[in-house]
């Protein structure tokens, strides 16, 4: 039995979720005992491949370095995965827009039914995943011999990024499909940690009233080393970019501390953060559903409470 | 350009789903059903394309039980021209639906297939990508903006780090994200008109597809409940508790 983990990376470094996917792969391997390899595909990925080789538990790194993979277009990456899949029993990737874009395409080409958003490994062929925005958990048995799986990073611990010394092997490019091309991107630049791997997340909702007011949350975030998120309402209102969105259709987070500010707590939002260890809610509406899941609820006007929180943190930290 | 929109009937997104006590699934009896919200966005986009003179005809297709006709009628009331029901009482998983849709595409020969990025029941987020693969077409998932020019589409996609713009050659499958548009409500006259629009029915056998599920659900359970609800009286108390009780700061 052998497993190929598909790395998410930015060329230079592995994205943190990759390490969580390695842990999920190890759990699967624990039920089936075998080799654990990692694929790093992209253009100019030497540093990321070297980082992959150091991850504890990874026994070999496959490096697919080619212009055709520069922007990880699904039509180009899927044939690579199809080719590599021949040698593996499992393909495992962290759930994210990259794997969600590519993995089903690979599945269809191989006549396999992938499983998305796995949160627990029950056995070599049975896995738990949330359905209905996390309002139910389904235990699913996969009938296909070869298994394609994306895993929710927040449900698995991160594997140690150091300790391994895997060999790096270059794999040949499967070329450019010519079906699509990259035009450009607008990526949010931030010195703060990534939402999905941050230890602390502070999110704002419609109660923030505008984008400028998010500066208040950023100040708190910088004190706590937190990432800044938002509810769908705040994103739809144009306060912050789409990649801030925490929720069923945005990002799923499970930090040690989640601070929800001016967020009412729609089911959609709760689906994205209810597995956080400690939840704080600040909202002036005492009846807001967010309070039902909050460990510490503060009924207050956020425009008074947030500046006060900043001062109290200065005293406490 | 002929546009095919694939839609799904699901438990209404605002209904709180209940897990059946025997763990076999979720309660669907006497529960409000609606069109999947992302499918509504796909239908809206197709109708806007028709209104803008980009689309020549908008055909909606749904795979599922007889009552998916109601969902097709909703799309017809929004402005789609005609409907196709691929009727099946079997549990249809994404790969099976993609195969059924491929059969419909081969009959209908659209240049563009629009669909929602995921259905809010099973949350798989797979069918569009699978259909694109089976057809050997290009794909653009999680679209927040679609522009057509000669033989291609320029699509802005919502990705983890922000937004990405790609160009895809037609024919293509495009899946809609939340911010592509705001779907309209069907007007009463349009609801009446939709009743006269044709809906063809076909079966998996007609399309030569074996829709057997590859995944079997062992059980469905409630997620662990959260013990929340505690309040603090002041910001100072909050910080004190986070520091000394929860020990997270």
């Amino acid at each position: 039995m052998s497993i190929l983990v598909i790395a998410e990376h930015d060329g230079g470094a592995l994205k943190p979720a990759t390490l969580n996917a390695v842990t999920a792969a190890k759990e699967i391997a624990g039920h089936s005992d075998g080799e654990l390899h990692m694929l790093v595909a992209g253009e100019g990925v030497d540093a990321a491949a070297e980082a992959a080789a150091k991850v504890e538990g990874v026994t070999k790194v496959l490096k697919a370095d080619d212009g055709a993979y520069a922007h990880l277009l699904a039509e180009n990456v899927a044939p690579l995965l199809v080719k590599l899949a021949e040698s593996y029993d499992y393909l495992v990737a962290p759930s994210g827009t990259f794997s969600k874009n590519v993995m089903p395409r690979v599945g269809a080409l191989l006549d396999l039914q992938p499983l998305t958003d796995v949160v627990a490994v029950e056995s070599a062929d049975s896995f738990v995943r949330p359905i209905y925005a996390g309002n139910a958990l389904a235990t699913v048995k996969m009938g296909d011999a070869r298994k394609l799986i994306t895993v929710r990073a927040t449900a698995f611990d991160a594997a140690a990024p150091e300790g391994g010394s895997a060999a790096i092997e270059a794999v040949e490019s499967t070329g450019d499909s010519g079906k699509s091309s990259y035009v450009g991107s607008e990526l949010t630049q931030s010195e703060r940690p990534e939402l999905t791997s941050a230890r602390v997340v502070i999110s704002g909702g419609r109660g923030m009233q505008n984008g400028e007011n998010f500066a208040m949350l950023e100040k708190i975030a910088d004190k706590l080393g937190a990432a800044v998120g938002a509810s769908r309402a705040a994103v739809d209102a144009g306060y912050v970019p789409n990649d801030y969105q925490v929720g069923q259709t945005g990002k799923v987070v499970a930090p040690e501390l989640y601070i929800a500010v001016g967020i009412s707590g729609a089911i959609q939002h709760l689906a994205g953060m209810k597995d956080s260890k400690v939840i704080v809610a600040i909202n002036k509406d005492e009846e807001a559903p967010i309070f039902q899941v909050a460990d510490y609820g503060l009924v207050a006007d956020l425009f008074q409470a947030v500046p006060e929180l900043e001062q109290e943190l200065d005293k406490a930290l | 350009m002929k546009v095919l929109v694939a839609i799904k009937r699901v438990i209404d997104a605002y209904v709180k789903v209940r897990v059946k006590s025997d763990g076999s699934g979720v309660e669907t009896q006497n529960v409000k059903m609606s069109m999947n919200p992302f499918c509504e966005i796909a239908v809206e986009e197709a109708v806007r394309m028709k209104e803008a003179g980009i689309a020549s005809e908008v055909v909606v297709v749904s795979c599922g039980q007889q009552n998916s006709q109601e969902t097709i009628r909703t799309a017809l009331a929004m402005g789609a021209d005609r409907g196709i029901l691929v009727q099946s009482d079997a549990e249809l998983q994404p790969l099976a639906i993609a195969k059924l849709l491929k059969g419909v595409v081969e009959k209908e020969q659209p240049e563009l297939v629009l669909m929602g990025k995921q259905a809010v029941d099973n949350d798989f987020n797979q069918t569009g990508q699978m259909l694109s693969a089976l057809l050997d077409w290009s794909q653009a998932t999680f679209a927040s903006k679609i522009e057509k020019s000669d033989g291609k589409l320029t699509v802005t996609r919502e990705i983890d780090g922000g937004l990405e713009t790609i160009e895809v050659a037609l024919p293509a499958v495009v899946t809609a994200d939340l911010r592509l548009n705001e779907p309209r409500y069907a007007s009463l006259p349009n609801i009446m008109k939709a009743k006269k629009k044709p809906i063809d029915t076909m079966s998996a056998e007609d399309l030569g597809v074996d829709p057997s599920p590859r995944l079997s659900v062992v059980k469905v359970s409630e997620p662990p409940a959260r013990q929340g609800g505690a309040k603090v009286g002041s910001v100072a108390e909050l910080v004190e508790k986070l520091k000394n009780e929860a020990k997270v700061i």
Side-chain angles (χ1 to χ4, degrees), chain A residues 53-103:
Chain A
K54 289 189 193 130
V55 175
E56 197 183 13
V58 174
T59 52
K60 183 158 84 176
V61 173
L62 303 181
K63 184 175 74 169
D65 201 330
D66 188 61
Y69 305 134
H71 300 287
L72 299 172
L73 295 165
E75 299 90 332
N76 291 355
V77 176
L80 172 69
L81 293 179
V82 166
K83 192 175 92 178
L84 296 176
E86 281 175 24
S87 321
Y88 296 93
D89 301 294
Y90 298 85
L91 262 53
V92 176
S95 274
T97 49
F98 163 61
S99 66
K100 284 182 175 172
N101 192 37
V102 173
M103 203 68 115

Side-chain angles (χ1 to χ4, degrees), chain A residues 8 71 73-75 96-97 100-101 104-105 107-109 111-117 129 131-144 179-188 199 224 232 235-236 242-243 245 248-249 251 256-257 274-280 286 291-299 305 308-309 312-313 316-317, chain B residues 11 14-17 19 26 28 38 93-96 99 117-118 120-126 129-130 132-134 136-139 141-142 154 157-169 177-179 214-224 226-236 238-239 241-243 245-249:
Chain A
E8 274 205 43
H71 300 287
L73 295 165
E75 299 90 332
T97 49
K100 284 182 175 172
N101 192 37
R105 196 166 177 104
L109 293 172
D111 196 33
L112 301 172
Q113 172 60 64
L115 208 54
T116 25
D117 284 336
R129 63 182 298 272
I131 54 175
Y132 293 94
N135 286 301
L137 292 172
T139 305
V140 180
K141 190 170 162 30
M142 298 180 84
D144 293 323
K179 287 189 169 62
S180 63
S181 57
Y182 172 84
V183 177
S185 53
E186 290 169 47
L187 302 182
T188 305
R199 197 188 67 85
L224 294 171
R232 177 181 162 186
V235 175
D236 283 351
N242 65 287
D243 55 298
Q245 186 179 329
Q248 180 190 12
T249 60
K251 295 199 171 95
E256 283 189 42
L257 173 60
K274 68 184 169 56
D275 293 329
S276 305
K277 195 167 151 238
V278 174
I279 296 175
V280 170
E286 199 174 344
F291 286 123
Q292 290 164 23
V293 300
D295 301 285
Y296 302 104
L298 178 65
V299 180
E308 204 182 321
L309 178 61
E312 289 293 331
L313 286 173
L317 296 176
Chain B
I11 294 180
Y14 294 98
V15 168
K16 172 115 179 74
V17 299
V19 173
V26 304
T28 52
F38 291 102
Q93 291 171 353
L95 183 59
K99 288 178 181 177
K117 74 163 180 178
Q118 75 190 71
V120 298
D121 50 4
N122 280 320
D123 287 332
F124 272 120
N125 193 332
Q126 296 180 349
Q129 296 89 308
M130 292 183 132
S132 172
L134 294 178
D136 196 25
W137 285 12
S138 34
Q139 76 178 47
T141 49
F142 326 138
T154 304
R157 309 175 56 230
E158 298 207 2
I159 60 168
D160 286 338
L163 297 173
E164 177 187 81
T165 304
I166 58 170
E167 272 180 5
V168 294
D177 214 318
L178 281 175
R179 280 166 279 273
R214 305 292 187 84
L215 307 171
S216 50
V217 175
V218 180
K219 67 168 183 203
V220 174
S221 56
E222 297 260 6
R226 248 200 112 84
Q227 296 296 326
K231 297 260 174 50
V232 292
S234 68
V235 173
L238 172 65
V239 171
K241 289 206 159 154
L242 289 177
K243 188 165 181 171
E245 191 177 270
K247 297 186 169 50
V248 286
I249 60 170

Side-chain angles (χ1 to χ4, degrees), chain A residues 97-175:
Chain A
T97 49
F98 163 61
S99 66
K100 284 182 175 172
N101 192 37
V102 173
M103 203 68 115
R105 196 166 177 104
V106 177
L109 293 172
L110 292 170
D111 196 33
L112 301 172
Q113 172 60 64
L115 208 54
T116 25
D117 284 336
V118 163
V119 295
V121 177
E122 296 271 293
S123 71
D125 63 2
S126 293
F127 304 89
V128 181
R129 63 182 298 272
I131 54 175
Y132 293 94
N135 286 301
L137 292 172
T139 305
V140 180
K141 190 170 162 30
M142 298 180 84
D144 293 323
R146 187 168 288 134
K147 296 172 180 62
L148 310 182
I149 293 167
T150 73
V151 300
R152 257 206 197 156
T154 53
F156 298 92
D157 293 334
E162 302 284 337
S165 56
I168 301 175
E169 191 179 291
V171 294
E172 246 178 76
S173 172
T174 43

